[in-house]
Amino acid sequence: MMKEDKKLFTVYKDVFDTGTIKAVWKLITENHIEGLESPIKIGKESNIFSALTKKNKRIAVKIHRILASDFFTIAKYLAMDTRFRVPGGRRKLIIMWAMREFKNLQKAKKEGVSVPEPIAIEENALVMQFIGEKFPKMPQPAPLLKDSCDKPEEYYAQVLQNLKILYQKAKIVHGDLSEFNMLNWKGKIIIIDLSHSIPVLSAESNTLLERDVVNVCRFFNKKGLKLNVQEVMKEIKTGAIK
Ligand SMILES: Nc1ncnc2c1ncn2[C@@H]1O[C@H](COP(=O)(O)OP(=O)(O)O)[C@@H](O)[C@H]1O
Ligand SMILES: [Mg+2]
């Protein structure tokens, strides 16, 4: 173990398993990040940290937790996605889960959906663009749409536009969409958390799309809009993209 290696291990050993420490270490030695900063969110299934690159650019690192993750839910979603074969073993499964989120982000970004730009992936650690206030000492992530919806019509229009591109061009369904997985950064809506997303071609995609749309309609209707789930679904699938 190198000296820095040891230091890193001391800092993170209570938070991460050894495999995760190795993954973070690899991101550092491959010059993707300098090290992790403050946690943005410590969740049940994943931890999100801010980090700085060598060039002093602030980025976000999402680390899927190997031990705490809901193994069975994840296995179920992976089974729906014909792009991936479900591997044996918890660790391999979570690594594939993170890789899937990375690929979904890449595809969505390429087609022009408003998502954080994916930067790198190392096992269960996904590096992506940081959305929010980057440069004060304490980086502030953008607020969730749930807590920041001052212009519902305008934000809904953005959400719809993004969902059309996601469905028609990237050909994936988000699968876990709600006001909790959308950020509002200075009036621009950014869709996050694409780990549940599956291809449109999967047998289950319509069920997941409907669930996503139910959440979107419920949220915006509470804000005074009058959206109909079936109409919105049709619009996402076939409506012209502006
Ligand atoms: N790229 C990002 N930039 C800034 N904050 C982020 C970013 N990605 C996630 N977050 C923050 O971390 C939280 C959890 O991220 P998310 O991808 O939704 O993981 P989970 O699977 O735990 O729900 C989000 O609600 C958001 O506040
Ligand atoms: Mg989330």
Side-chain angles (χ1 to χ4, degrees):
M1 221 186 231
M2 288 159 64
K3 200 169 142 225
E4 283 83 4
D5 226 343
K6 237 182 202 152
K7 203 170 95 198
L8 186 76
F9 188 77
T10 323
V11 175
Y12 295 133
K13 76 176 182 324
D14 297 332
V15 193
F16 297 136
D17 60 286
T18 321
T20 301
I21 294 175
K22 276 195 190 136
V24 172
W25 182 244
K26 192 124 190 260
L27 286 173
I28 295 172
T29 52
E30 288 181 354
N31 289 329
H32 293 296
I33 57 173
E34 287 262 85
L36 299 177
E37 298 182 306
S38 47
I40 297 172
K41 193 203 138 201
I42 300 290
K44 210 159 69 72
E45 320 246 296
S46 72
N47 296 324
I48 315 249
F49 295 84
S50 65
L52 283 174
T53 65
K54 289 249 158 30
K55 289 184 178 149
N56 238 25
K57 207 174 131 217
R58 190 158 267 122
I59 49 175
V61 184
K62 178 171 183 176
I63 299 180
H64 289 271
R65 299 175 72 161
I66 305 281
L67 297 174
S69 296
D70 185 347
F71 192 79
F72 293 105
T73 309
I74 287 177
K76 195 179 84 194
Y77 274 85
L78 277 172
M80 291 183 208
D81 192 335
T82 48
R83 293 172 300 174
F84 296 88
R85 270 191 46 222
V86 182
R90 181 178 277 270
R91 183 168 183 83
K92 282 206 177 111
L93 191 91
I94 306 300
I95 289 170
M96 182 171 282
W97 186 245
M99 174 56 80
R100 220 172 62 103
E101 176 163 23
F102 186 74
K103 291 237 161 93
N104 289 331
L105 281 171
Q106 275 184 322
K107 187 88 185 90
K109 189 78 197 174
K110 180 168 162 256
E111 299 299 347
V113 183
S114 172
V115 294
E117 167 129 46
I119 297 170
I121 178 98
E122 183 58 47
E123 304 219 320
N124 54 326
L126 191 169
V127 183
M128 63 184 144
Q129 180 188 6
F130 177 89
I131 311 290
E133 202 63 70
K134 289 185 182 138
F135 287 118
K137 275 227 164 65
M138 282 287 277
Q140 275 294 320
L144 302 178
L145 178 63
K146 161 183 104 67
D147 302 315
S148 176
C149 191
D150 52 326
K151 295 176 189 155
E153 281 95 1
E154 194 184 312
Y155 299 151
Y156 169 69
Q158 288 188 40
V159 172
L160 180 63
Q161 170 74 357
N162 278 304
L163 292 183
K164 281 184 194 170
I165 306 174
L166 194 66
Y167 191 95
Q168 296 180 31
K169 290 188 160 176
K171 298 199 187 306
I172 47 186
V173 169
H174 186 285
D176 193 24
L177 194 68
S178 75
E179 60 276 23
F180 290 85
N181 277 333
M182 290 187 262
L183 306 178
N184 178 354
W185 184 230
K186 298 188 170 163
K188 185 173 185 218
I189 304 302
I190 292 123
I191 298 179
I192 60 165
D193 204 358
L194 274 73
S195 55
H196 290 68
S197 309
I198 61 167
V200 162
L201 281 173
S202 317
E204 296 84 354
S205 75
N206 206 56
T207 315
L208 292 198
L209 178 67
E210 182 161 5
R211 197 174 65 189
D212 285 353
V213 172
V214 165
N215 288 339
V216 168
C217 292
R218 183 194 27 74
F219 176 73
F220 283 107
N221 285 346
K222 246 181 11 203
K223 302 281 170 196
L225 272 60
K226 293 201 167 50
L227 304 169
N228 170 280
V229 171
Q230 292 312 317
E231 279 168 25
V232 173
M233 278 185 69
K234 189 165 168 227
E235 182 68 17
I236 289 171
K237 290 179 182 177
T238 59
I241 295 167
K242 277 180 278 168

